[in-house]
Amino acid sequence: MTVVDVLYHTWRAQAGMTLDLRALAPVEAISDGIDRCKEMGRPLYLTIGCYAELSGLYAPMTISAMNIQRYAARLAIRRDVETWFMIPMIPEALPLVDGIYREVCVAEGKPEAYKRDHVQWFGQLEAGYSTGAAGVAGRIRAGTAICAGALSGTGDIAPTAVNRTVGALMIGGNARYTHQGVYSIWFDYSLWTSDVYAAGAYCAGDPFMRSSVVAQDVISWVCILLPLIALLLGAAGVSTDWLAI
């Protein structure tokens, strides 16, 4: 069923059929957050999370986070807002994030807006990322901090706390339900678990990414409905063995 679901929605995307996603409040808040930076004369702080790996469990989070980052950076460069990028402890992410920064500057007709020292990498240790990013956050005092992607339960705590302390508008979230905790308290606009994927697809505007999110929602509904059906049938004395197939 999962294969059929994915193939069907992929076919719809290839056929050019519209796959609309509901606009999420955290995504809509990005534009307002950048305007806030402009009005306050403060920069924009961006991170895709300490654990933003390009393979395995974290890869989908990283891809979605980079799409969110590109979307936010493009709006910031367009509005002449200084932008800072925190690179995770994954060295392979450095050229990709740097490439996004260069790309949006050129796309907005402002190649001179690119500043290499605004792309900060602190090495391959989580402690290095944590203390380094926290130090930058305290120094630049961002008007808005967008922290979305593969956030860790330790490495991203200190930078997030510093951004919160200096009065930044906090937007972000991660796709691991075990790591929502304090982030859901500190963020003014939170992306909860699969919201990160939906936000990435929305910001990218890519029909195939949108189709994958819609297909995922179908499976989620099936997983919710099947236990409810089994519960109701069981209460009525009807055999539910067929649900185990």
Side-chain angles (χ1 to χ4, degrees), residues 33-46:
I34 293 169
D35 285 339
R36 184 176 192 266
C37 291
K38 182 74 173 180
E39 292 168 5
M40 298 177 71
R42 291 189 180 188
L44 173 68
Y45 174 104
L46 296 171

Side-chain angles (χ1 to χ4, degrees), residues 34 38 75-83 110 112-113:
I34 293 169
K38 182 74 173 180
L75 291 179
I77 298 302
R78 184 178 301 169
R79 299 172 191 176
D80 297 317
V81 171
E82 183 179 292
T83 308
K110 300 177 181 179
E112 71 283 355

Side-chain angles (χ1 to χ4, degrees), residues 124-141:
Q124 293 179 258
L125 296 178
E126 187 171 12
Y129 168 86
S130 182
T131 56
V136 172
R139 177 164 55 86
I140 68 173
R141 302 179 65 84

Side-chain angles (χ1 to χ4, degrees), residues 190-213:
S190 293
L191 292 166
W192 287 83
T193 57
S194 60
D195 286 350
V196 172
Y197 303 129
Y202 185 92
C203 290
D206 181 85
F208 292 99
M209 289 193 69
R210 293 191 174 207
S211 70
S212 68
V213 172

Side-chain angles (χ1 to χ4, degrees), residues 11-241:
W11 169 77
R12 289 196 62 183
Q14 288 179 324
M17 298 182 186
T18 303
L19 294 168
D20 293 324
L21 296 178
R22 174 177 60 86
L24 297 169
V27 175
E28 293 184 322
I30 291 175
S31 181
D32 292 337
I34 293 169
D35 285 339
R36 184 176 192 266
C37 291
K38 182 74 173 180
E39 292 168 5
M40 298 177 71
R42 291 189 180 188
L44 173 68
Y45 174 104
L46 296 171
T47 181
I48 56 177
C50 182
Y51 286 177
E53 298 178 358
L54 303 176
S55 61
L57 170 67
Y58 302 105
M61 305 180 206
T62 302
I63 294 170
S64 294
M66 286 184 173
N67 285 326
I68 296 170
Q69 191 169 87
R70 178 185 287 107
Y71 176 83
R74 191 160 191 171
L75 291 179
I77 298 302
R78 184 178 301 169
R79 299 172 191 176
D80 297 317
V81 171
E82 183 179 292
T83 308
W84 289 76
F85 299 79
M86 302 302 110
I87 304 300
M89 58 182 187
I90 314 301
E92 294 83 1
L94 174 56
L96 295 178
V97 174
D98 185 70
I100 288 173
Y101 187 16
R102 292 174 182 270
E103 172 197 320
V104 296
C105 289
V106 173
E108 292 302 316
K110 300 177 181 179
E112 71 283 355
Y114 172 81
K115 296 179 174 61
R116 179 62 184 82
D117 61 345
H118 285 197
V119 181
Q120 297 280 310
W121 187 54
F122 311 101
Q124 293 179 258
L125 296 178
E126 187 171 12
Y129 168 86
S130 182
T131 56
V136 172
R139 177 164 55 86
I140 68 173
R141 302 179 65 84
T144 296
I146 301 175
C147 314
L151 305 184
S152 77
T154 49
D156 287 288
I157 289 290
T160 305
V162 172
N163 275 305
R164 184 72 184 177
T165 301
V166 301
L169 177 71
M170 305 296 296
I171 303 171
N174 68 89
R176 295 189 292 168
Y177 72 90
T178 56
H179 288 67
Q180 295 296 333
V182 70
Y183 294 123
S184 63
I185 298 173
W186 283 345
F187 288 150
D188 297 291
Y189 295 91
S190 293
L191 292 166
W192 287 83
T193 57
S194 60
D195 286 350
V196 172
Y197 303 129
Y202 185 92
C203 290
D206 181 85
F208 292 99
M209 289 193 69
R210 293 191 174 207
S211 70
S212 68
V213 172
V214 175
Q216 170 189 290
D217 287 345
V218 172
I219 297 301
S220 297
W221 277 110
V222 170
C223 291
I224 293 170
L225 291 174
L226 281 180
L228 292 176
I229 292 172
L231 182 63
L232 292 173
L233 292 177
V238 179
S239 174
T240 57
D241 292 343

